[in-house]
Amino acid sequence: MTVRVRFAPSPTGFLHVGGLRTALFNWLFAQKMGGTFILRLEDTDQKRYTPGGVRAIVEGLQWLGLQWNEGPDKASLRQMQGDEDWAGAPDVGGPYGPYIQSLKVKRHQAAAQELIEKGMAYRCDCTAERLAQVREGQKARKEQTRYDRHCRFKQPGEVDPNQPHVVRLAVPLEGSTTVHDLIRGEITVDYSQLDDFVILKSDGFPTYHLAAMVDDHDMQITHVLRGDEWLPSLPRHYLIYQAFGWEPPAFAHLPVILNPSGKGKMSKRKATSADAVFVTEFRDEGYLPEALRNFLALVGWAPGSGNEQEIFALDELIQLFSLAHVNPAPAAFSYDKLDWMNGMYIRALPADELAKRIYPFLIKAGVEVDTERLLKITPDIQERLVTLSDAVEATDFLFVEDVSPNPVQLIGKGLTKESTLAILKQAEQIIDAFEPFEAEPLELAFRSAAEAAGMKPGPFFTPMRVAVTGKAVSPPLFGSIVALGREKTIARLKNAQQLLAG
Ligand code: GLU
């Protein structure tokens, strides 16, 4: 059996990081098993469809490096109503298309018809008012609210197929079903717990329950790895498979992701806090895709058998990944850990590669980047960056004509205006003639100068730091000076002296 898994998001506008985790686990499982990873767009809920939704999914998956082996082709993306969403999407296709649910509505309608003919489903034309009345009555009697099966026993033809109606699955009236989840084991549910749920809506569109099961069957999906929120629906899904007489795939419900505090589900939207939840937000804040991928792999999964390792090369992750080590317990999303991991990945990059990744963040911030200076400063800021966007503030002094140091900061602790002026003058003289113009020898020279002046290096460097970078806290001073260049450094040292003297 070749493993076939799918990621089946609804194009609602954004890709939530929880959805990305589901995609990642599917992808990892497919890689590990030498299987096929399929992208299917579930857009049959017309109310939830948003323009830009497909783009968010495609970009998110590609950014993380999760390429799919089968998925919508360009023609069907174009056919999908709404917008120009298909524009940047790769033309993948595959033998089980279309991979866009709304383009299969006829197939879903035929499937519902098949179940009606088999006596496994029935048409229901109960009005919203009637359903509301039933519900009120049940509430008043403190009963579980559910459809009362009013239409189930009507004579054939009593519900006019040309008038608005839904199709409901006829759930067995007695007995129970045992469903199997690869992560949680067996769960037995009494049919009395389930009502005759809708499989085809009055607008002719299938519900998720019908569409997803038909598509999974048609696409020969072997393993359904999906969010935990679908676990309660699993008995219904088994019933649909049984009604058709199909073999269900294996199911694995991935643990829910909680807020960092461990209390409550991770929010669906960025609320008031600055915390990212959508994939584009992580990208725009400057998380590296490989760091986010590594981090997400550990949200609900661990290599097991005492392996405490946290940083994994992608190959390693694929080798180690197994559903047996997915933990059913909810997993908290730790931004602190993600920050730590992002920093680790940033430090592991070759400096020129890091500079390349920083570059677009500077451009986006409106910085006029001098690439030579950027390349020079990168190794100096590499140690301190948490995200790529931190580089904007760390390097701003390099890409402006002048900085405006604060005179109070220039003078610094334990110094006077006069001693500060003297340090700046001396700095100017040393820098003017110094060879080789490199950070290490420069630093040695200035350490000797500090010693000769009977001062600790820190306070001695402060006036220079503020003069050159405009800030009391900056990247390593001598790396900054070298990146800025001799001429500009001297100009800034002179400016600072004028500022103090004036
Ligand atoms: N379209 C469903 C969702 O976005 C997919 C669930 C599934 O993987 O079956 O939640």
Side-chain angles (χ1 to χ4, degrees):
M1 179 188 71
T2 339
V3 162
R4 291 176 58 81
V5 291
R6 86 296 191 282
F7 175 50
S10 299
T12 53
F14 297 97
L15 183 53
H16 192 268
V17 73
L20 192 64
R21 197 272 314 253
T22 298
L24 174 63
F25 280 27
N26 273 284
W27 185 86
L28 285 171
F29 186 61
Q31 306 310 307
K32 168 78 185 267
M33 308 301 287
T36 302
F37 174 59
I38 296 156
L39 172 63
R40 177 171 83 222
L41 300 175
E42 300 206 326
D43 61 334
T44 43
D45 189 347
Q46 301 289 296
K47 288 193 290 291
R48 292 175 66 216
Y49 178 82
T50 333
V54 177
R55 186 169 305 133
I57 292 163
V58 164
E59 283 183 4
L61 293 178
Q62 290 191 319
W63 181 64
L64 217 71
L66 310 182
Q67 187 54 54
W68 49 103
N69 311 105
E70 292 174 26
D73 58 15
K74 274 232 154 88
S76 47
L77 281 165
R78 250 188 222 115
Q79 225 179 311
M80 195 177 169
Q81 56 180 321
D83 58 10
E84 295 284 294
D85 252 4
W86 52 270
D91 192 9
V92 177
Y96 301 94
Y99 296 85
I100 297 182
Q101 216 156 48
S102 63
L103 302 182
K104 286 189 68 180
V105 168
K106 285 215 164 62
R107 163 71 180 128
H108 302 129
Q109 290 168 344
Q113 182 63 32
E114 182 186 330
L115 293 186
I116 293 174
E117 283 161 17
K118 284 174 121 178
M120 299 300 211
Y122 60 93
R123 295 183 212 279
C124 161
D125 60 359
C126 289
T127 59
E129 294 76 49
R130 181 176 183 279
L131 294 176
Q133 262 175 17
V134 170
R135 216 172 307 127
E136 286 316 311
Q138 287 166 337
K139 268 195 205 151
R141 295 192 299 278
K142 301 215 176 349
E143 291 171 12
Q144 196 183 331
T145 57
R146 56 165 71 192
Y147 180 58
D148 65 354
R149 300 186 158 129
H150 178 69
C151 293
R152 179 158 171 171
F153 305 104
K154 284 184 177 171
Q155 292 307 309
E158 217 179 307
V159 178
D160 183 351
N162 298 313
Q163 292 302 314
H165 67 276
V166 300
V167 177
R168 294 179 180 273
L169 195 83
V171 173
L173 300 173
E174 285 177 346
S176 63
T177 183
T178 296
V179 298
H180 189 82
D181 178 86
L182 292 174
I183 298 167
R184 279 154 236 265
E186 292 190 337
I187 305 163
T188 299
V189 179
D190 238 51
Y191 289 136
S192 64
Q193 299 299 306
L194 306 172
D195 67 353
D196 288 357
F197 56 97
V198 175
I199 56 173
L200 199 71
K201 294 179 276 188
S202 56
D203 60 4
F205 278 89
T207 58
Y208 163 75
H209 303 305
L210 180 68
M213 299 315 113
V214 168
D215 290 359
D216 285 343
H217 172 75
D218 288 356
M219 294 175 184
Q220 300 191 17
I221 299 301
T222 58
H223 296 74
V224 171
L225 276 51
R226 62 182 178 182
D228 191 86
E229 69 272 23
W230 295 109
L231 186 62
S233 301
L234 188 56
R236 294 172 171 189
H237 298 161
Y238 265 61
L239 278 173
I240 292 178
Y241 275 95
Q242 280 162 22
F244 283 112
W246 298 335
E247 187 67 29
F251 284 90
H253 291 86
L254 308 176
V256 67
I257 304 182
L258 302 178
N259 284 322
S261 64
K263 288 190 210 105
K265 265 176 113 172
M266 189 178 178
S267 66
K268 281 277 173 206
R269 299 254 173 289
K270 191 149 142 173
T272 48
S273 74
D275 291 341
V277 295
F278 298 125
V279 178
T280 40
E281 294 169 339
F282 288 96
R283 185 191 64 196
D284 295 348
E285 284 182 20
Y287 290 95
L288 305 185
E290 57 269 51
L292 184 62
R293 187 173 60 204
N294 188 152
F295 170 78
L296 283 180
L298 293 170
V299 178
W301 172 85
S305 41
N307 186 344
E308 301 281 310
Q309 186 182 347
E310 298 211 275
I311 306 272
F312 300 93
L314 188 55
D315 290 352
E316 223 177 342
L317 207 50
I318 292 169
Q319 279 321 307
L320 289 168
F321 189 77
S322 111
L323 292 178
H325 290 133
V326 174
N327 186 343
F333 191 101
S334 165
Y335 288 93
D336 290 341
K337 181 166 165 185
L338 174 60
D339 283 351
W340 167 78
M341 199 171 275
N342 206 53
M344 297 295 281
Y345 272 88
I346 283 180
R347 283 181 268 301
L349 287 177
D352 56 341
E353 168 64 19
L354 177 58
K356 221 193 277 169
R357 302 235 201 158
I358 289 171
Y359 183 81
F361 285 84
L362 299 179
I363 295 297
K364 204 167 145 215
V367 175
E368 273 184 50
V369 185
D370 175 320
T371 39
E372 205 176 310
R373 281 189 200 146
L374 173 59
L375 279 167
K376 278 195 183 143
I377 199 71
T378 300
D380 291 302
I381 59 173
Q382 189 156 16
E383 280 306 312
R384 305 175 184 205
L385 296 182
V386 173
T387 66
L388 296 175
S389 59
D390 292 345
V392 176
E393 210 198 309
T395 63
D396 54 3
F397 69 96
L398 279 180
F399 306 116
V400 286
E401 208 30 57
D402 284 315
V403 290
S404 359
N406 171 341
V408 179
Q409 281 185 339
L410 266 177
I411 292 174
K413 262 200 217 110
L415 293 174
T416 60
K417 188 166 132 182
E418 287 66 35
S419 55
T420 302
L421 276 168
I423 291 173
L424 290 171
K425 185 85 219 150
Q426 193 185 1
E428 192 192 320
Q429 282 161 354
I430 295 178
I431 285 177
D432 190 37
F434 199 85
E435 285 303 337
F437 194 62
E438 286 162 14
E440 250 176 70
L442 265 175
E443 177 162 355
L444 284 178
F446 276 95
R447 281 183 184 273
S448 318
E451 207 180 311
M455 282 185 70
K456 290 219 163 83
F460 188 79
F461 296 165
T462 295
M464 293 162 63
R465 183 186 307 283
V466 177
V468 172
T469 68
K471 295 186 274 205
V473 179
S474 76
L477 177 59
F478 299 98
S480 302
I481 287 175
V482 171
L484 187 64
R486 197 191 307 263
E487 240 173 79
K488 277 215 155 195
T489 302
I490 289 177
R492 288 186 187 181
L493 290 168
K494 279 194 199 301
N495 272 352
Q497 291 169 69
Q498 266 168 19
L499 186 76
L500 281 183

